[in-house]
Amino acid sequence: MKITYLGHSALLVEGGGKSVIIDPFLTGNPNSGVKPADIKVDAVLLTHAHGDHFGDCIGIAQANDCPVIAPVELANYCMEHGVKTVGMNIGGSHQFDGFKVKYTLAFHSSSLTVGDRVIYGGEPAGILLTMGDKTLYHAGDTALFGDMKIIGELNKIDLAALPIGDFFTMGPEDAAIAAQWVQAPKVLPLHYNTFPAIEQDVDAFCAKLQEAGIEGIALKNRESVEI
Ligand code: NI
Ligand code: MN
């Protein structure tokens, strides 16, 4: 499984000839440096509806003629915009062609703002994405919560991608606890330094992980890690 960081919480994940993008916030992300038109994928996966995750989802799904896989209410919103969708919900998993998706809890909110309307985006979620014998846990936006221990007990997670930005999600201290609770040997920090409110010292976070015997992998935009 090859994981490429596209800034904020966006990951391109490739394996076994398939590729998916999670939370494709590219346009409007000051750090992305990637054009939606350059993204070639078999599916777009969303953790929740907020604009810094939903991002270029519709355009990428249209250009690739691929489905958007999302919490069901968010999938329904996407369907109204003319893309193929698969609406799932927390606790549910599905084996797609070449990859498996399981939706997990996340403690956050989920809505879209369209003009002066606020649209309910379904429950926010995390994603367990399995390709071959490797599993990535993308926590989405979330607070630290105790059931992360259960997620860690029930799944062999090879890499956990965790928000560390604080303010809207866990900060680095809680994320370091989450890393231990989900029993991940490697952690990729997400959701930091995109905006002033979520500036963090990622090197200090990785040093804290190292004390717990966990490898912190702070990828720069468009850098990849193979697990
Ligand atoms: Ni959010
Ligand atoms: Mn967010």
Side-chain angles (χ1 to χ4, degrees):
M1 179 186 274
K2 181 184 175 190
I3 299 163
T4 304
Y5 185 51
L6 300 178
H8 203 56
S9 290
L11 299 180
L12 180 70
V13 187
E14 301 164 276
K18 296 289 176 185
S19 65
V20 305
I21 190 166
I22 306 176
D23 287 359
F25 171 53
L26 307 179
T27 303
N29 176 352
N31 301 323
S32 157
V34 180
K35 292 195 195 85
D38 295 335
I39 300 294
K40 304 285 176 244
V41 287
D42 297 289
V44 179
L45 275 58
L46 298 176
T47 62
H48 66 295
H50 289 154
D52 59 320
H53 299 259
F54 185 82
D56 299 290
C57 146
I58 300 291
I60 292 171
Q62 284 174 338
N64 289 275
D65 192 25
C66 74
V68 176
I69 303 168
V72 64
E73 292 84 358
L74 181 55
N76 289 344
Y77 174 82
C78 294
M79 190 162 53
E80 290 169 12
H81 288 76
V83 296
K84 292 186 275 188
T85 60
V86 181
M88 296 180 66
N89 218 325
I90 292 165
S93 67
H94 186 69
Q95 179 68 53
F96 294 87
D97 181 14
F99 59 96
K100 183 181 177 189
V101 173
K102 183 170 186 176
Y103 273 97
T104 69
L105 280 181
F107 277 77
H108 192 62
S109 60
S110 183
S111 62
L112 293 142
T113 304
V114 180
D116 57 0
R117 284 193 307 152
V118 176
I119 299 169
Y120 173 60
E123 291 294 298
I127 292 171
L128 289 160
L129 174 66
T130 303
M131 282 179 170
D133 61 351
K134 299 293 182 186
T135 296
L136 161 73
Y137 171 49
H138 187 303
D141 279 358
T142 186
L144 181 68
F145 58 94
D147 282 1
M148 284 178 172
K149 291 180 186 172
I150 295 174
I151 293 172
E153 280 170 20
L154 298 183
N155 300 280
K156 185 187 156 291
I157 293 167
D158 296 285
L159 183 142
L162 304 174
I164 69 159
D166 215 345
F167 203 93
F168 302 111
T169 68
M170 297 188 283
E173 283 160 24
D174 284 357
I177 295 168
Q180 294 171 71
W181 285 358
V182 301
Q183 301 181 36
K186 297 171 196 277
V187 166
L188 174 63
L190 302 177
H191 212 270
Y192 68 98
N193 290 2
T194 317
F195 316 113
I198 57 173
E199 278 176 14
Q200 294 296 337
D201 181 345
V202 74
D203 294 331
F205 173 68
C206 290
K208 190 184 275 285
L209 290 178
Q210 197 171 25
E211 288 170 19
I214 297 166
E215 183 187 356
I217 302 170
L219 295 179
K220 296 192 171 62
N221 293 333
R222 302 183 298 283
E223 283 185 349
S224 301
V225 60
E226 189 91 36
I227 60 167

